[in-house]
Amino acid sequence: MTEHQSDDRLLEHDYDGIREYDNPMPRWWLYIFWATIAYSILYYFNVPGIGIGKGRIAAYDADVAEAAALATKNNPFATVNDGVILAAAKDPAKLALGKTTFSTTCSACHRADGGGVIGPNLADDYWIHGGKPLEILKTVTEGVTAKGMPPWGRMLTPDQILSVVAYVTTLQGTNPPNPKAPQGVRADSTSPTPAAARGPAK
Ligand code: HEC
């Protein structure tokens, strides 16, 4: 190794005067090469003490479970269903909070009695985004920004949102005077609002 010149070995062949050496790889290079092979085996099995230790698949599963738990934790409505909202609509305390929230936050656009002005009538049977309790919850939390309905998810507390949605479900059939013309689809059908019932262009 000391005299690397002495390692030089000319190969027999000769292509139009071009000849080549066949020298062994330097030792340091080979050590690194072997080390990478050894490491790749350890890495493949993800043995404890190297990498994360539990094995790649277990580690991935743990990450996925953690992400799912976080999503549930951050979504205050993860366990809410239609029944929970309808039950809140029978709870006087929730209804009172819902009514207060509605008159302070929603009435400017939907009118104090829900009959509609800038926003649609919430007391009729017609819905643009669906009239099931969970659908109303979704419209209220996410809003319809392009159409002027703000997303309330971060502006109100979860309790206020649940209560105001519960309150909205109680507006059905209250027949407020001079209501805004129906918009959307009748709750009990999938057909669009009949032309005669459709109000002026939104
Ligand atoms: C700045 C005006 C404005 C305010 C304030 C407002 N909304 Fe709306 N809202 C709208 C508009 C406009 C629409 C119609 C969106 C569309 O055309 O897609 C709407 C739609 C809705 C719908 C869906 C109606 C349907 O037919 O599907 C619900 C439910 C609703 N609002 C509830 C609320 C509640 C509850 C609040 C108070 C927390 C509120 N809104 C506050 C303007 C408003």
Side-chain angles (χ1 to χ4, degrees):
M1 269 324 283
T2 40
E3 244 61 66
H4 82 275
Q5 288 294 343
S6 64
D7 288 338
D8 289 351
R9 193 169 76 82
L10 260 184
L11 290 178
E12 294 301 311
H13 56 236
D14 179 339
Y15 298 110
D16 297 337
I18 298 171
R19 308 195 61 192
E20 51 182 343
Y21 287 119
D22 180 19
N23 288 335
M25 301 301 294
R27 284 266 171 251
W28 63 263
W29 194 95
L30 280 175
Y31 289 146
I32 293 175
F33 183 62
W34 290 330
T36 61
I37 291 174
Y39 182 77
S40 73
I41 293 166
L42 293 176
Y43 187 83
Y44 181 78
F45 289 107
N46 191 8
V47 292
I50 300 218
I52 30 185
K54 278 180 296 182
R56 292 161 305 140
I57 292 170
Y60 173 78
D61 286 346
D63 283 354
V64 169
E66 193 185 331
L70 209 63
T72 311
K73 192 171 140 238
N74 291 342
N75 176 5
F77 304 117
T79 58
V80 169
N81 54 33
D82 286 352
V84 170
I85 297 170
L86 293 176
K90 297 209 171 72
D91 175 341
K94 297 259 187 239
L95 266 191
L97 176 62
K99 191 177 165 111
T100 318
T101 309
F102 194 86
S103 56
T104 54
T105 318
C106 322
S107 60
C109 292
H110 292 283
R111 236 169 64 177
D113 58 10
V117 43
I118 297 165
N121 182 349
L122 300 178
D124 64 9
D125 285 340
Y126 290 84
W127 297 94
I128 305 169
H129 303 286
K132 296 206 183 76
L134 270 188
E135 293 171 324
I136 300 176
L137 177 70
K138 182 169 190 281
T139 312
V140 173
T141 43
E142 295 172 15
V144 191
T145 340
K147 296 288 178 63
M149 165 70 180
W152 298 104
R154 287 169 190 271
M155 295 187 262
L156 299 174
T157 66
D159 199 27
Q160 281 175 315
I161 292 175
L162 190 74
S163 303
V164 83
V165 170
Y167 177 71
V168 167
T169 66
T170 68
L171 296 175
Q172 286 298 291
T174 51
N175 296 315
N178 307 316
K180 195 177 183 195
Q183 289 166 272
V185 175
R186 227 188 123 87
D188 55 9
S189 85
T190 47
S191 57
T193 316
R198 209 180 292 142
K202 299 166 218 157

